[in-house]
Amino acid sequence: AQKVTQAQTEISVVEKEDVTLDCVYETRDTTYYLFWYKQPPSGELVFLIRRNSFDEQNEISGRYSWNFQKSTSSFNFTITASQVVDSAVYFCALSEGTGNQFYFGTGTSLTVIP
Amino acid sequence: GAGVSQSPSNKVTEKGKDVELRCDPISGHTALYWYRQSLGQGLEFLIYFQGNSAPDKSGLPSDRFSAERTGGSVSTLTIQRTQQEDSAVYLCASSLEGSRVEYGYTFGSGTRLTVV
């Protein structure tokens, strides 16, 4: 079973629209961390945010915001007033307290149309 | 170095040939990971090195894949007798020991491998 599910494969929005990228995760650990990474066309994954399982406070960073809800095992990412530079593939990832790896979702390809 | 460096950035090889992909982690990072990203797929874990410990090879898809890390720094991922299904972007990442779970990795830009 997928530990991280990103149901949206591709999303297109017009510049200045808001967009939310969904992420649902599955774990039995009580301690875990959730991440979002951005992969622009250059290929390198860029870290955006990390949340631990004990902190459900939502976070806002400029035009980015994250909504972490343990009750629904979701960690959604919203971009407000999208810009063309936001076009990229976005990955959600889960890191459990045990084990050596991250579990990545399949990514959501976001295209922002000028 | 300032970031994780991977070479080559692109590699085209004929089916059946061997290839070597190189990863230079951030200086001081003791943990090194290889992931594979196939078209339309998420990132698939391949192998993990931590210091002088035996590597976690649980993600290697077949015995054609191997990796080594010399001197606790540079790592080489080798694919023998390449097949077309090996075509993917191979990503390397590194992290400080003990901080991976909490702080995640720093990724390189990847090597795009195309087997023709």
Side-chain angles (χ1 to χ4, degrees), chain A residues 15-72:
Chain A
E15 200 171 21
K16 296 184 183 171
E17 285 184 347
D18 298 348
V19 59
T20 295
L21 310 182
D22 298 334
C23 174
V24 174
Y25 63 93
E26 180 184 330
T27 181
R28 294 184 178 179
D29 284 15
T30 54
T31 300
Y32 55 90
Y33 295 83
L34 296 162
F35 298 78
W36 276 95
Y37 283 87
K38 174 182 179 180
Q39 187 179 41
S42 61
E44 184 173 339
L45 276 96
V46 178
F47 166 81
L48 294 178
I49 191 171
R50 171 191 78 249
R51 303 299 287 174
N52 74 58
S53 52
F54 299 107
D55 182 2
E56 284 193 75
Q57 255 192 336
N58 291 328
E59 183 163 334
I60 298 175
S61 175
R63 295 185 298 107
Y64 296 169
S65 63
W66 291 269
N67 183 357
F68 176 27
Q69 293 195 343
K70 289 178 76 171
S71 61
T72 56

